[in-house]
Amino acid sequence: LILKAVFCLYPVYWMISLSFKTAREAAKDAYALPVSIFEVGFSNYAYVLEIMDYGMGMMNSIIYSTVITLVTVFFSTTAAYAMTRMHFKYADLIYKYFLIGLSVPGMCLMVPVFMIIKFMGLFETRWAIIVLGIAAAAAGSLLMVAFMRSIPKELEEAGQLEGITPWQELIHVVVPLVWPTVSTIWLMGLIGFFGASGNILLLTGGAYNTNTLSHYLFTRVYNVPETSNLYNYSSALGIVMTLLTLPVVFIVQRLLEK
């Protein structure tokens, strides 16, 4: 556990260290401790905040993560309930269909997904990101299936004797029992889509009105002459983005625990 913590925390330390270096010092030895920390101070952060127009990126990140996560949790839960509790003929076939879909490498799907999104007229719009995010709900469904299969059937039978409907059983019996799984899917989706970058580049061409915080970070560091290849600015920008993201994640986590 300690070894894992070191591997996880070292990149954070490295990024913080670089953010307090001059451009020359960072290029000369990126791994050394910052010598000019008192000279640099928070000037890198001040410069980053000065050039950083993160309003659109923050708004889009909130839109994507909220809408996609809500719809994904709903479809994952209902689909898993149908496959495990409704006992229809093709339930096992649908489960295997989802499983086969997840086994296809994501790189193989890039061109087909791009062509479908363009055919639907969604290219360079927020809907392209939202539709793709919802289409990826199969992973959450498989996770929910595994947990719902562990729920004793006696609970289902007792509810049926009381005359509850399938919707009432799902909401009042099943969901409370699998709530830790629901909250896990919620948080994973929130973190993943809040920092989405590759999807933005593929499906919207990096259009400004579709940017997320993560994609904005990429474009500001590598496509702008003022900050291109300057590790001190890119590290400061990464720290700022992390500090903007963490409160959202912690707030949602606390709400889900209640």
Side-chain angles (χ1 to χ4, degrees):
L1 185 62
I2 295 174
L3 186 62
K4 185 177 180 180
V6 171
F7 275 109
C8 292
L9 292 176
Y10 181 74
V12 179
Y13 151 76
W14 187 38
M15 199 158 60
I16 294 173
S17 174
L18 282 171
S19 69
F20 287 102
K21 293 182 178 182
T22 62
R24 179 177 297 181
E25 185 182 355
K28 182 179 179 181
D29 190 351
Y31 299 97
L33 288 171
V35 178
S36 54
I37 182 171
F38 296 107
E39 175 189 344
V40 174
F42 291 95
S43 60
N44 291 335
Y45 291 93
Y47 178 77
V48 161
L49 291 173
E50 181 182 346
I51 67 169
M52 189 175 180
D53 179 19
Y54 56 83
M56 181 64 73
M58 174 65 81
M59 184 182 71
N60 286 331
S61 295
I62 293 173
I63 291 173
Y64 295 147
S65 58
T66 303
V67 174
I68 294 173
T69 306
L70 280 172
V71 178
T72 298
V73 167
F74 174 78
F75 280 127
S76 297
T77 306
T78 52
Y81 177 78
M83 286 187 282
T84 57
R85 297 294 173 177
M86 299 192 73
H87 312 293
F88 60 97
K89 185 177 180 180
Y90 300 106
D92 190 55
L93 182 62
I94 294 174
Y95 175 80
K96 290 178 180 177
Y97 176 75
F98 282 3
L99 196 60
I100 292 171
L102 289 177
S103 66
V104 179
M107 294 296 293
C108 298
L109 300 175
M110 290 178 66
V111 174
V113 166
F114 174 80
M115 296 301 293
I116 291 171
I117 291 296
K118 200 160 186 178
F119 175 78
M120 295 172 66
L122 300 178
F123 185 67
E124 293 187 350
T125 67
R126 293 190 181 100
W127 285 107
I129 310 302
I130 293 173
V131 168
L132 180 62
I134 294 171
S141 298
L142 296 181
L143 188 61
M144 293 295 294
V145 164
F147 279 84
M148 286 189 185
R149 283 177 175 171
S150 65
I151 298 175
K153 292 187 177 181
E154 290 77 10
L155 293 175
E156 178 185 352
E157 294 168 355
Q160 291 172 352
L161 290 174
E162 294 294 330
I164 65 173
T165 65
W167 275 110
Q168 289 174 324
E169 179 187 338
L170 173 64
I171 295 171
H172 299 293
V173 179
V174 175
V175 169
L177 292 173
V178 297
W179 186 250
T181 309
V182 173
S183 60
T184 300
I185 294 174
W186 196 303
L187 281 174
M188 288 173 61
L190 179 69
I191 295 170
F193 292 111
F194 203 88
S197 180
N199 294 346
I200 308 297
L201 191 60
L202 173 67
L203 300 178
T204 72
Y208 173 73
N209 63 332
T210 65
N211 256 338
T212 58
L213 280 175
S214 181
H215 187 262
Y216 181 83
L217 169 65
F218 174 80
T219 55
R220 286 304 296 180
V221 171
Y222 295 103
N223 293 344
V224 177
E226 294 91 337
T227 57
S228 179
N229 297 322
L230 297 181
Y231 301 136
N232 54 333
Y233 290 135
S234 62
S235 299
L237 197 54
I239 295 295
V240 170
M241 195 190 78
T242 302
L243 294 177
L244 290 172
T245 306
L246 283 177
V248 178
V249 175
F250 287 142
I251 290 170
V252 173
Q253 183 184 18
R254 291 299 300 271
L255 291 174
L256 291 172
E257 289 176 352
K258 292 183 178 180

